Amino acid sequence: MIILAVHCTLKPGKASEFEKAVSAFIAEVRASEPGCLAFQASRSTDDPNHYLLYEVYTDAAALEVHRAASYFKEFSHNLLPTLLDMRVREVYEWVAG
């Protein structure tokens, strides 16, 4: 399995817009990508402008399907830059658990 952790720091005042957009995006991913086993968005309890997107894919091919989807490109390349101050992506391979 491939795990993707994306740390997002929002621009001030963008939380509501981000939460609405990420909820719709996650629903589309779950409906369209059988290779996506999990996709969650969480808000930091220490910093209300910091979010973690946690994604689990069956394999690298499933992650590539995700990245090639038109709704991914719209969300990631067009919408997120208007909402985020910073984004850090980390890719992991499942080991145990």
Side-chain angles (χ1 to χ4, degrees), residues 15-58:
S16 179
E17 186 177 355
F18 175 80
E19 288 182 12
K20 182 179 177 181
V22 78
S23 294
F25 178 64
I26 290 170
E28 179 128 28
V29 170
R30 286 184 174 163
S32 304
E33 298 178 33
C36 180
L37 303 177
F39 197 139
Q40 301 169 340
S42 302
R43 181 178 47 241
S44 170
T45 58
D46 295 325
D47 179 354
N49 286 319
H50 187 84
Y51 289 76
L52 172 66
L53 304 182
Y54 181 81
E55 308 167 39
V56 180
Y57 297 90
T58 54

Side-chain angles (χ1 to χ4, degrees), residues 11 17 19 37 40 57 65-66 75 80 83 87 95:
K11 294 177 181 178
E17 186 177 355
E19 288 182 12
L37 303 177
Q40 301 169 340
Y57 297 90
V65 166
H66 174 71
F75 180 77
L80 283 185
L83 303 176
R87 175 173 49 176
V95 175

Side-chain angles (χ1 to χ4, degrees), residues 73-85:
K73 292 175 183 175
E74 176 61 30
F75 180 77
S76 186
H77 300 281
N78 296 335
L79 181 62
L80 283 185
T82 69
L83 303 176
L84 302 183
D85 271 338

Side-chain angles (χ1 to χ4, degrees), residues 59-71:
D59 54 24
L63 179 56
E64 288 308 312
V65 166
H66 174 71
R67 289 179 171 164
S70 61
Y71 50 85

